[in-house]
Amino acid sequence: MEKFVIRGGNKLNGKINISGAKNAALAIIPAAIFAGEPCRIENVPDISDVKMISKILRHIGAEVTSPEDGVLVIDPTNVKSDITIRDDMTKKLRASYYLLGVLLGQYGSACVALPGGCYFGVRPIDQHIKAFEALGAKVNTDNAVVKVESEELYGSSIYLDVVSVGATINAMLAAVKAKGLTVIENAAREPHIVDLANFLNSMGADVRGAGTEVIKIRGVSQMHGCTYSIIPDQIEAGTYMVAAAAAGGDVVINNVIPKHLESITNKLEDCGITVIEGDESVRIISDGNHPKACRVKTSPHPGFPTDMQPQFATLLCIGNGTSTVVEDVWDNRFKYIDQLRRMGANIIVNGDTALITGVEKLHSAPVEADDLRAGAAMVIAGLIADGETTIENIRLIDRGYEKLIEKLTAVGADIARVHFDEE
Ligand code: EPZ
């Protein structure tokens, strides 16, 4: 087993380079199946979720190789669509359900065990099913396996009742080769939706409007291979922005698209943190004292990202006054607060709202990662706590943060990955 050991109190100074976006890669890698021939994908983050989605693609017959760091070459020539993607794979990776959209769109059928992934409340897939049925597919969900099939898929109007990243992506994937025009309304607008659309169009698809709430897709009969580079990870960048703000110091975060970070930058400025935007960087200057209290409410892009909620709440634990954090995307994403309380945080949770009263300092404690972003929040808490904090369950952090130890130690953090015997 492994844990992180962090000695808090160091300021952070220097440069951090951001890797490719996890949530773009998890959609783009399966979408390469549409090419019918090899695709070269660059700026792929070296994280366990990418290893898992690659394993799933190999399981159905694709060849996935990595000729150099950060590059995947995917050859879908021998993919078989009649293989069930079992729950031992899907429970580890929620994004495995993108294979439903891809295999339905490319071969007319798919069979994927109901997905797993981070647990923060109910995670239904009713909107995915609504999209598949609108395109003419039959959907069966008996025995916790989702079976979708259709002789032919026809373009259709799909109104998503909920702004859903996953349902928007699955609708796009199922529609790219459907006959005629598909209009997805109330679509999610995240940067990774736009990145997927750009990738699909690089393979010859016709997807317009990604990044707005209306996406129009004209089905094509043939697609082809391409070389594509994945956008920088908005949430990885935001995590290091907040870490620098909390620990104090002067950190330049490179390889970012500042526009993707606007809501995070805006909130940090509300807290009195200096953020200087470059063309492809953001610089965080902070004295590490108590940030101003503020109000944060998560919402779909371009709002404040729910995947930044635990990290930002941790910063507010040492805020000057009382802050409120409203989680408006997921129905139960405050589980990590019990871990922060072990470190002396003063937080009251009432439904979708956390009331955070700033304390002088957090103190070190043995804590664990409840999920990927909660784990990132524990790292930030360890960086600012007195003494030595240990974090277990760090395989959940490894799902989405490439070279986290290297990136943080390079700017002065005292953090290490330590092996230990389970008993
Ligand atoms: C994606 O999850 C991300 N995961 C999540 O990031 C992120 O928190 C979420 O989008 C919101 O931005 C990946 O991209 C792999 P949703 P997804 O469908 O697609 C409800 C991380 O840390 N909903 O946008 O599963 C749902 O219950 C992960 O990187 C339905 O009601 O999220 C939720 O309340 C954690 N019916 C809301 O929509 C549906 O059919 C948003 O969920 C689908 C969703």
Side-chain angles (χ1 to χ4, degrees), residues 22-23 26 94-95 97-98 118 120 122-128 162-167 190 192 306-307 329-331 333 372-373:
K22 167 178 88 80
N23 292 343
L26 293 178
R94 181 170 184 76
Y97 60 21
Y98 293 150
C118 295
F120 18 79
V122 180
R123 296 187 77 173
I125 61 165
D126 57 304
Q127 299 299 304
H128 302 239
V162 182
V163 177
S164 159
V165 168
E190 271 66 9
H192 29 294
T306 175
D307 292 347
V329 173
W330 295 104
D331 59 18
R333 196 173 194 168
L372 166 58
R373 306 303 175 185

Side-chain angles (χ1 to χ4, degrees), residues 176 194-210 223-224 226:
V176 277
V194 178
D195 211 25
L196 172 65
N198 291 339
F199 174 66
L200 292 169
N201 289 340
S202 302
M203 292 193 289
D206 182 352
V207 182
R208 299 161 198 261
M223 290 166 77
H224 52 75
C226 69

Side-chain angles (χ1 to χ4, degrees), residues 92-336:
K92 293 184 191 122
L93 182 65
R94 181 170 184 76
S96 50
Y97 60 21
Y98 293 150
L99 272 301
L100 286 169
V102 171
L103 297 177
L104 175 65
Q106 179 74 343
Y107 301 106
S109 72
C111 198
V112 178
L114 272 175
C118 295
Y119 180 79
F120 18 79
V122 180
R123 296 187 77 173
I125 61 165
D126 57 304
Q127 299 299 304
H128 302 239
I129 292 169
K130 175 179 181 178
F132 296 148
E133 288 176 337
L135 295 168
K138 282 192 184 52
V139 183
N140 178 299
T141 56
D142 294 347
N143 314 314
V145 173
V146 185
K147 287 195 184 78
V148 290
E149 53 191 348
S150 172
E151 284 300 307
E152 196 65 78
L153 292 170
Y154 295 94
S156 168
S157 252
I158 301 167
Y159 180 83
L160 295 177
D161 305 323
V162 182
V163 177
S164 159
V165 168
T168 301
I169 287 175
N170 251 335
M172 289 165 73
L173 295 170
V176 277
K177 296 182 107 173
K179 285 197 178 335
L181 177 66
T182 294
V183 180
I184 305 169
E185 294 186 87
N186 201 26
R189 301 165 55 186
E190 271 66 9
H192 29 294
I193 303 271
V194 178
D195 211 25
L196 172 65
N198 291 339
F199 174 66
L200 292 169
N201 289 340
S202 302
M203 292 193 289
D206 182 352
V207 182
R208 299 161 198 261
T212 75
E213 67 271 22
V214 180
I215 300 175
K216 293 184 179 174
I217 301 167
R218 198 165 287 285
V220 295
S221 53
Q222 194 61 35
M223 290 166 77
H224 52 75
C226 69
T227 293
Y228 191 80
S229 184
I230 289 174
I231 55 169
D233 194 311
Q234 164 203 37
I235 305 302
E236 184 197 16
T239 301
Y240 290 121
M241 290 167 75
V242 172
D250 184 343
V251 177
V252 178
I253 299 169
N254 287 318
N255 304 343
V256 300
I257 300 173
K259 181 143 186 60
H260 291 170
L261 305 171
E262 269 175 356
S263 61
I264 302 163
T265 297
N266 173 271
K267 267 304 139 201
L268 285 172
E269 288 173 337
D270 283 357
C271 294
I273 306 294
T274 301
V275 184
I276 300 167
E277 286 186 2
D279 292 341
E280 296 179 342
S281 67
V282 286
R283 180 179 174 193
I284 305 296
I285 302 172
S286 164
D287 60 13
N289 288 332
H290 303 289
K292 287 186 198 140
C294 74
R295 172 180 162 74
V296 179
K297 180 174 181 184
T298 67
S299 63
H301 193 78
F304 188 88
T306 175
D307 292 347
M308 281 299 304
Q309 183 258 95
Q311 301 92 309
F312 213 92
T314 303
L315 169 67
L316 297 174
C317 286
I318 54 167
N320 199 352
T322 298
S323 300
T324 52
V325 174
V326 179
E327 174 52 60
D328 203 31
V329 173
W330 295 104
D331 59 18
N332 175 14
R333 196 173 194 168
F334 287 130
K335 198 159 169 283
Y336 68 93

Side-chain angles (χ1 to χ4, degrees), residues 2 10 14 20 29 61 85-86 101 137 145 171 208 233 239 251 278 292 339 357 362 370 377 382 384:
E2 294 183 316
N10 293 9
I29 290 167
I85 295 161
R86 305 183 311 269
V145 173
R208 299 161 198 261
D233 194 311
T239 301
V251 177
K292 287 186 198 140
Q339 302 294 319
T357 303
L362 292 179
D370 286 320
I384 62 176

